Amino acid sequence: SFFQSLEIDPCSIGNSPPQFKPPIRFLDRNISGGWLDLEMGIEYDGDADIELVFCGKRVGVKELKIGAKFIVSFYGFTPKPPFFHGISIYMFEPCELNLKWEGLLNFLNMSFVEDIIRSCVNHSLQRIMVLPNRFAFPLLAPTEANLLDMRRPKPRGLLQIRLLEVEGLVGTDFTISSLFTGNRSADPYVTISLGAETWRSSTVWNNCNPKWAVENAHVFFVDIPERQLIHIQVFDDGVRQQLQAKAKVSKPEADEIARHLNISILDLLGRRHDDLLNEEILTERWICLDSWWGGRGMGPLASEAAATALGDKLKEDLKPSIGTAADTVGSLWETQVQELSASDREWLQQVKARVRIRAHWRHVGQPCEPVTPLEQQRSAVGVAASADPHLASLRQCAANVDTTSLSNSKELLADRDWQGWPDYVLRVGIESVERLPCSVDETEKVFFARCETIPIVNDACKEVADSSMGVSIHETKHKHPAMYTVAGIGKSQEESELLARKIGLLLEARVPEEVMASVLEVDMSTVRKLLGQSFQEHSGRRDVSFNEVFMYFLRAEHADAASVNVEVYSQANKNAPVVALGGLRLPIDEVLDADGLFLERRRASLESVADVRITVTCQMWPIMRSTTPVEELIEQAVADERRRTLKEGRGIRTCIWVFSASNLPNADYFGGKSDPYCVCTLEGIGRPKRMFQTAVIDNDTDPEWNHGPETVEWNGESALRFQVFDRNLGRRGAFLGEAVLSRDVCERGLYTDLDLGNGTSFLNVKLCPKQETEIIDVPYSAPEPVSRLHVWIEQAQALKGVNWYGGKSDPYVVCSLSQHKTFQTSVIHDELNPHWAHGPEELVLGQELRLSFEVRDKDMVGSSSIGAAELSRYQCLAGFAGWLSLGEGNGRLFVRIASLMSEGKASRPVKLSILVLGASNLRKADTFGSSDPYVICSARGKERFRTEVVQNSLNPQWNPHPYQVELRLAQELCFEVYDKDPFRRGDLLGTVSLGRSCCESGFDGDLDLGTGNGTLHVRIICTDCDSTVPASPGQHQ
């Protein structure tokens, strides 16, 4: 009804062409099944001029911005032009769309129209080119290029996600009981998105800790598990939200109460990023949800949010209006956009909501691959060799399930009834329909096809035996046919077929004759002759190319009865009745008997219309499974999660050593160097908990503390933070760097050099898991590459005016990775569309998970927030350039981010056993007598050990006592020979250095101490390049 009164005049998207965003790179590893994959970003920033007439009022769109990242896959290499059979283009996530309104909508701030347009655009793109959908087009003839394989290739696997429960949600619904209890409720439902697929759970009413029944699950197609991401969002679904959603045709962002975006499929399944996922996996996970994120601050959860948690405060706030409770409740239902206060924001950041889901993975095999890995079981049970191996093995395994071993748990028994996985994925492709009855005068006539497959299994693993549009029935697009002929055009039937298809496509696209001649590589007279011959000889002949794909799930026990039915329909105009032309039936058992489970009916006749020809293909792939029953997999997953939960409940323990730091910044201004010490804190619950602090090392930017072991016990915390400070008189002093480790990393153990945030300073630490009294040792691992971010803050648009006088703002932007990694732009006074053009600023990305931006208004005293946004770690590493929403009504911010990788500079530790055996022909340093020599060994200017003094000798021999030295940071060892004098070090007799590489390979020989200074005989043995036992401070002396 909204669009019935809407007119568009004029409509121009401007003259600005789309631009490719760097970097454009070829992927090292093929991820899509094509011959070559190219990743690129594209951005359209158009000076649009679009006017909408709405109820007699004019509304203008003056800016249109679209940004997206694509994968372009080239299929089928050929040595001659066009070099490839075809191209497919797809995206992992929907594009970003931003509009700038002028006129009525801008005045009323009615952003729901923009929500409608954005929803429509993204919905259209998702159906075309967001995985699992791909936009594909052939470069060769359709008979040579397999367009269906480019559009919907074989999926890597299926991911079934079952929603179990959510706990710890923040209530947003204000009821009468809230006046007395101070508590709010919620009516939550959950959406889970993967690419173009979004699944919505049922709503649980009036519950902040909802639980769902068994059937709340969905099966997703997964094409590229290493790149696709899962998004979990929790929404409130009260009466007000339902009315608002109906009016806006989309979910209001203000009603989103919790989220966790960008969840890696491999992380969810607990696998490494190089895992092939070629086995059945079932996991159960608690996933933490964010109750606060950049841009949140809208809807009914306003300044009363903190009062929701603290009921006393709510009563105090509503005390003046307690007599008019009905008016108070009514006003709260109509609460408009408000900004969260600082206290509310801090409180929401500490809310610990989480969701429990069960993820079940099965990969899709090749047509020739057996469904189960035990081929010998089929022969053992007497399965006939001529029978289909997939169907036979599935039926036999289903018959051999031992029901006596199943758990008596009601949940598991319900799972057994519901957990009906399909056995096959069926792809039905409708390529084209030829020789359709359509005269030249029927210009509005359209044709389409419907594909019905029954019985099947839907995406909730429920059996479907009835006709249902969108489930068992799928419909192609309604298309106008293209007129062309195949007879008398080319020299051969094959050449005629190819040339005819080209002419038909060009006619359908309304290509001018000049362009047609260039494409067909013929002159204009030949083009006119071909067109004339096509229309004159076969004036009633028209063809339609659909090239559409539909996917179904099948069970083996239904294969005998299942069939694919394709019906072709026509419609003279949009008001005319639909006329059935005929159909084609393909039994599934014929597909199972076909070679490679592939069946093609090319140019087959319809059942009731002999002249019409249709081309349909069917391809089936088996869904692979393990021999372990699903019930056992569920029991194992539940047990693993229970052990992990109990482990978190009683706390885990970690032993920590802080050995040294290198290349620390110099924070002393008046000579000297920094006086560093390290502080370790646990974070994640309330205030950070300080665990221990090392000693202060005076005047040293390469300190060696050798502190530890310290035992840290975890009780729900999520991170361990190391901070290095410079000690000043009576106060903490300057901040020198920090590193953060997640709880998962600490549980596994780690021994490495941690980057302290600037890419040049490192902290050498070791963390070992402790079980009872046993310390589980971990080897040294090289530091991870350092990620540097270059950040540009370009401009903002349509900011909210907060100044009392003039209605504008004095905006500036604060960008931060953490408390100590931050910068801000300059202040632009009295402006709602500021241009900063600030950057690039370099930030070193450590373990931080997000980069946040906050636009603030500068006041005479202090400042206030206008809006906030953030980017995830994955978005920063992938590079970003585009608009970020600052919240509904707060405007938007344009930023650019480039990611640069550099290798860490820290070196692995080397344990050495050093023997100083003797010296020869030393220089005489005493006036009376010879010299009294001894040797000092040092690294990076610090003494490691010294030998005893040999009295009155120029050829001393020392006792062959091995000294244990561990090199962590130094690149060489220095040996200095001195003559001992009373009360001082004495005269230097000679010095020599030995490189780190030489030490690692071992050394035994004489070292030249310099001209006329003699030689020194040393023996060095590298005992361990990867230290496995924490060295005590005494071992380094």
Side-chain angles (χ1 to χ4, degrees):
S1 61
F2 169 79
F3 287 105
Q4 288 180 355
S5 59
L6 191 65
E7 298 179 4
I8 302 179
D9 182 33
C11 180
S12 170
I13 60 175
N15 300 318
S16 301
Q19 296 181 351
F20 291 103
K21 296 189 300 183
I24 300 175
R25 62 191 185 97
F26 292 97
L27 300 184
D28 297 333
R29 188 164 65 91
N30 186 290
I31 63 173
S32 62
W35 191 84
L36 180 68
D37 291 328
L38 177 65
E39 184 175 17
M40 65 176 66
I42 191 170
E43 182 178 273
Y44 174 75
D45 187 354
D47 49 342
D49 184 13
I50 304 173
E51 284 194 3
L52 312 178
V53 181
F54 172 59
C55 297
K57 304 295 184 179
R58 289 191 173 271
V59 181
V61 178
K62 296 303 180 184
E63 285 191 8
L64 175 63
K65 298 181 183 293
I66 302 176
K69 180 166 285 188
F70 296 88
I71 299 292
V72 181
S73 296
F74 298 86
Y75 284 83
F77 178 76
T78 180
K80 58 182 181 179
F83 301 112
F84 297 98
H85 291 183
I87 298 175
S88 73
I89 305 174
Y90 59 90
M91 300 185 292
F92 296 112
E93 301 291 333
C95 69
E96 301 171 6
L97 175 67
N98 291 283
L99 304 172
K100 182 180 179 182
W101 298 94
E102 289 188 356
L104 177 67
L105 289 184
N106 188 48
F107 177 73
L108 296 178
N109 193 25
M110 297 171 64
S111 60
F112 70 93
V113 178
E114 184 173 345
D115 291 340
I116 294 174
I117 296 176
R118 182 182 293 108
S119 176
C120 292
V121 170
N122 280 330
H123 180 66
S124 300
L125 285 177
Q126 285 177 357
R127 292 187 303 172
I128 297 174
M129 55 194 315
V130 177
L131 288 180
N133 304 313
R134 309 179 189 219
F135 177 74
F137 55 91
L139 299 179
L140 298 178
T143 55
E144 300 181 47
N146 193 335
L147 190 61
L148 301 183
D149 279 343
M150 291 187 284
R151 182 160 291 174
R152 285 298 293 268
K154 180 184 79 68
R156 286 273 296 278
L158 304 179
L159 180 64
Q160 182 191 80
I161 297 182
R162 174 185 166 189
L163 176 64
L164 300 176
E165 60 180 309
V166 178
E167 63 179 33
L169 293 177
V170 178
T172 61
D173 293 343
F174 186 87
T175 61
I176 295 294
S177 62
S178 301
L179 294 173
F180 308 101
T181 64
N183 297 322
R184 297 189 186 186
S185 65
D187 306 310
Y189 67 90
V190 178
T191 64
I192 301 178
S193 303
L194 176 60
E197 294 186 77
T198 298
W199 170 78
R200 181 193 187 278
S201 73
S202 58
T203 301
V204 178
W205 303 101
N206 197 25
N207 198 332
C208 290
N209 298 286
K211 294 184 178 181
W212 280 269
V214 174
E215 59 270 10
N216 272 273
H218 186 82
V219 176
F220 294 92
F221 283 102
V222 179
D223 288 348
I224 308 173
E226 57 268 27
R227 295 291 298 272
Q228 291 182 265
L229 300 174
I230 298 172
H231 310 290
I232 301 177
Q233 296 170 280
V234 185
F235 292 88
D236 193 8
D237 193 28
V239 175
R240 177 180 61 83
Q241 287 85 358
Q242 291 184 11
L243 293 175
Q244 189 176 9
K246 185 176 181 180
K248 297 178 72 170
V249 200
S250 62
K251 297 184 294 291
E253 293 182 1
D255 298 322
E256 186 179 358
I257 55 180
R259 62 162 58 169
H260 192 133
L261 307 181
N262 302 321
I263 303 173
S264 168
I265 293 178
L266 294 173
D267 291 342
L268 180 63
L269 297 175
R271 297 306 174 103
R272 298 194 311 267
H273 287 268
D274 58 349
D275 199 305
L276 298 177
L277 298 182
N278 55 3
E279 60 182 355
E280 186 171 6
I281 306 169
L282 195 150
T283 61
E284 189 171 295
R285 290 285 186 270
W286 279 102
I287 299 176
C288 295
L289 298 174
D290 295 328
S291 297
W292 165 258
W293 54 88
R296 178 168 186 178
M298 299 79 71
L301 187 61
S303 58
E304 294 86 4
T308 303
L310 307 173
D312 296 337
K313 182 181 176 183
L314 177 61
K315 293 179 181 180
E316 183 179 351
D317 291 343
L318 298 176
K319 195 173 294 182
S321 58
I322 195 68
T324 57
D327 294 339
T328 302
V329 174
S331 63
L332 286 176
W333 280 110
E334 299 173 1
T335 300
Q336 297 299 317
V337 176
Q338 300 183 34
E339 179 186 355
L340 286 169
S341 65
S343 61
D344 294 341
R345 186 184 310 172
E346 181 180 355
W347 172 71
L348 281 176
Q349 289 173 341
Q350 298 178 2
V351 171
K352 296 298 179 183
R354 59 178 186 167
V355 59
R356 184 163 69 104
I357 64 174
R358 183 175 296 162
H360 193 173
W361 167 269
R362 284 182 176 177
H363 72 285
V364 177
Q366 298 295 336
C368 57
E369 194 172 355
V371 176
T372 61
L374 302 180
E375 276 290 336
Q376 62 273 17
Q377 288 187 356
R378 294 203 300 273
S379 59
V381 297
V383 179
S386 59
D388 174 65
H390 317 288
L391 186 60
S393 62
L394 284 169
R395 289 174 175 169
Q396 186 61 46
C397 289
N400 289 340
V401 173
D402 184 8
T403 57
T404 61
S405 64
L406 300 180
S407 171
N408 292 325
S409 168
K410 293 182 179 180
E411 182 184 17
L412 294 181
L413 291 176
D415 269 328
R416 184 179 60 184
D417 295 335
W418 169 83
Q419 192 76 248
W421 267 86
D423 300 314
Y424 287 98
V425 173
L426 170 65
R427 184 188 71 187
V428 179
I430 302 178
E431 295 187 9
S432 62
V433 182
E434 302 174 3
R435 301 182 181 181
L436 290 168
C438 182
S439 64
V440 179
D441 298 332
E442 296 176 299
T443 56
E444 298 184 13
K445 192 171 186 177
V446 295
F447 294 87
F448 62 94
R450 285 177 183 168
C451 177
E452 179 180 15
T453 304
I454 53 174
I456 61 169
V457 178
N458 62 14
D459 50 23
C461 287
K462 292 288 186 179
E463 294 182 4
V464 178
D466 300 327
S467 299
S468 176
M469 182 61 71
V471 181
S472 60
I473 300 178
H474 293 282
E475 188 174 286
T476 66
K477 296 178 182 178
H478 293 211
K479 284 194 172 186
H480 296 279
M483 179 179 290
Y484 60 91
T485 182
V486 297
I489 296 181
K491 297 179 181 179
S492 63
Q493 179 68 19
E494 182 179 357
E495 184 179 351
S496 299
E497 174 76 19
L498 175 58
L499 195 55
R501 287 185 178 272
K502 289 182 178 180
I503 294 174
L505 292 174
L506 294 173
L507 285 172
E508 189 176 5
R510 299 183 179 180
V511 174
E513 294 182 356
E514 297 80 3
V515 179
M516 194 179 297
S518 176
V519 172
L520 298 177
E521 298 180 351
V522 294
D523 54 23
M524 289 294 299
S525 61
T526 306
V527 170
R528 295 190 182 96
K529 179 181 178 181
L530 293 175
L531 295 178
Q533 186 176 1
S534 175
F535 283 106
Q536 292 172 9
E537 294 185 3
H538 298 269
S539 58
R541 158 78 185 283
R542 291 198 174 191
D543 297 350
V544 173
S545 295
F546 292 111
N547 289 317
E548 295 196 33
V549 179
F550 307 115
M551 307 293 282
Y552 297 96
F553 296 136
L554 297 176
R555 288 210 179 112
E557 56 265 29
H558 301 150
D560 294 338
S563 63
V564 177
N565 302 295
V566 181
E567 294 284 340
V568 181
Y569 298 87
S570 67
Q571 190 175 17
N573 54 65
K574 61 181 181 180
N575 298 321
V578 175
V579 179
L581 299 181
L584 179 67
R585 181 178 181 274
L586 298 174
I588 293 300
D589 54 3
E590 291 187 15
V591 183
L592 290 171
D593 293 336
D595 186 22
L597 303 184
F598 177 77
L599 181 65
E600 180 181 39
R601 289 289 183 266
R602 179 165 294 278
R603 304 183 69 185
S605 299
L606 298 183
E607 292 177 354
S608 57
V609 185
D611 293 337
V612 179
R613 300 287 186 265
I614 187 171
T615 299
V616 179
T617 63
C618 294
Q619 174 70 69
M620 293 181 65
W621 297 287
I623 301 173
M624 312 305 293
R625 58 185 176 84
S626 67
T627 56
T628 305
V630 173
E631 291 77 9
E632 294 185 16
L633 293 175
I634 295 175
E635 288 179 340
Q636 183 63 39
V638 171
D640 291 342
E641 182 65 14
R642 185 180 297 114
R643 281 194 295 269
R644 194 173 69 87
T645 304
L646 293 175
K647 190 177 180 181
E648 291 178 354
R650 68 170 183 266
I652 62 172
R653 290 183 294 173
T654 304
C655 288
I656 303 175
W657 289 262
V658 179
F659 291 118
S660 60
S662 63
N663 299 321
L664 294 178
N666 188 6
D668 289 351
Y669 297 104
F670 303 102
K673 298 180 179 179
S674 299
D675 309 314
Y677 66 96
C678 181
V679 177
C680 177
T681 56
L682 272 179
E683 300 180 354
I685 297 182
R687 287 181 170 274
K689 187 187 304 181
R690 185 163 177 164
M691 303 310 300
F692 64 85
Q693 174 182 321
T694 67
V696 178
I697 305 295
D698 294 326
N699 201 34
D700 196 344
T701 55
D702 298 312
E704 292 192 9
W705 295 288
N706 296 310
H707 184 96
E710 294 276 358
T711 300
V712 172
E713 186 167 352
W714 299 76
N715 290 291
E717 294 86 0
S718 59
L720 186 68
R721 185 182 298 272
F722 297 93
Q723 293 178 302
V724 182
F725 297 95
D726 171 47
R727 184 70 172 181
N728 288 340
L729 225 54
R731 59 190 179 90
R732 170 178 284 182
F735 172 80
L736 301 180
E738 70 176 359
V740 182
L741 297 177
S742 67
R743 177 172 180 157
D744 292 338
V745 173
C746 297
E747 286 185 10
R748 294 192 298 266
L750 180 67
Y751 182 17
T752 189
D753 293 278
L754 300 176
D755 176 71
L756 290 177
N758 56 13
T760 59
S761 301
F762 293 88
L763 180 69
N764 184 260
V765 298
K766 185 170 186 176
L767 297 90
C768 296
K770 186 175 182 180
Q771 296 181 356
E772 303 298 337
T773 59
E774 179 187 2
I775 298 177
I776 302 176
D777 198 24
V778 293
Y780 179 85
S781 58
E784 296 182 354
V786 177
S787 300
R788 300 176 183 271
L789 302 180
H790 283 186
V791 183
W792 291 264
I793 298 179
E794 302 289 352
Q795 59 177 314
Q797 290 182 350
L799 295 180
K800 180 174 64 176
V802 297
N803 291 343
W804 289 97
Y805 179 75
K808 294 190 177 181
S809 300
D810 307 315
Y812 68 96
V813 182
V814 178
C815 174
S816 59
L817 268 174
S818 65
Q819 179 183 357
H820 301 283
K821 299 179 184 179
T822 182
F823 68 88
Q824 70 179 46
T825 67
S826 58
V827 179
I828 299 181
H829 294 281
D830 202 29
E831 181 62 62
L832 297 181
N833 298 285
H835 285 72
W836 291 284
H838 183 96
E841 293 274 358
E842 183 175 289
L843 297 175
V844 177
L845 182 63
Q847 300 295 325
E848 293 85 3
L849 298 178
R850 56 181 61 88
L851 176 66
S852 61
F853 302 89
E854 185 177 20
V855 181
R856 302 190 66 84
D857 172 60
K858 182 66 175 178
D859 299 327
M860 294 186 64
V861 178
S863 62
S864 59
S865 177
I866 297 177
E870 65 182 26
L871 292 173
S872 68
R873 178 186 182 92
Y874 302 100
Q875 290 174 302
C876 294
L877 291 175
F880 179 85
W883 291 96
L884 297 176
S885 173
L886 299 173
E888 190 171 352
N890 297 332
R892 57 180 184 169
L893 178 70
F894 188 87
V895 300
R896 290 190 294 122
I897 297 176
S899 175
L900 305 175
M901 301 292 289
S902 58
E903 295 293 333
K905 297 180 180 179
S907 302
R908 62 177 182 175
V910 179
K911 296 184 69 174
L912 305 175
S913 179
I914 304 176
L915 295 88
V916 180
L917 301 177
S920 303
N921 302 319
L922 295 180
R923 179 170 56 84
K924 178 181 177 182
D926 292 345
T927 306
F928 303 100
S930 297
S931 297
D932 307 318
Y934 69 97
V935 180
I936 295 178
C937 176
S938 61
R940 293 180 65 87
K942 296 181 180 180
E943 181 178 326
R944 299 300 180 179
F945 67 86
R946 66 173 62 190
T947 66
E948 68 274 12
V949 178
V950 177
Q951 300 292 334
N952 198 26
S953 176
L954 298 180
N955 298 285
Q957 299 293 318
W958 286 280
N959 293 326
H961 170 70
Y963 296 93
Q964 305 301 321
V965 174
E966 184 168 308
L967 292 182
R968 289 197 181 93
L969 308 171
Q971 299 300 315
E972 63 179 15
L973 280 177
C974 180
F975 296 93
E976 297 172 305
V977 182
Y978 286 91
D979 170 50
K980 181 65 176 177
D981 288 340
F983 311 111
R984 64 188 182 92
R985 172 175 286 186
D987 299 324
L988 180 64
L989 300 181
T991 180
V992 65
S993 296
L994 200 60
R996 179 191 178 99
S997 59
C998 186
C999 296
E1000 290 183 0
S1001 59
F1003 179 83
D1004 186 0
D1006 294 328
L1007 299 174
D1008 187 6
L1009 295 173
T1011 305
N1013 294 332
T1015 60
L1016 179 68
H1017 184 194
V1018 298
R1019 181 180 300 158
I1020 300 177
I1021 302 173
C1022 181
T1023 58
D1024 186 8
C1025 291
D1026 295 320
S1027 179
T1028 58
V1029 180
S1032 64
Q1035 287 180 293
H1036 296 276
Q1037 303 301 325

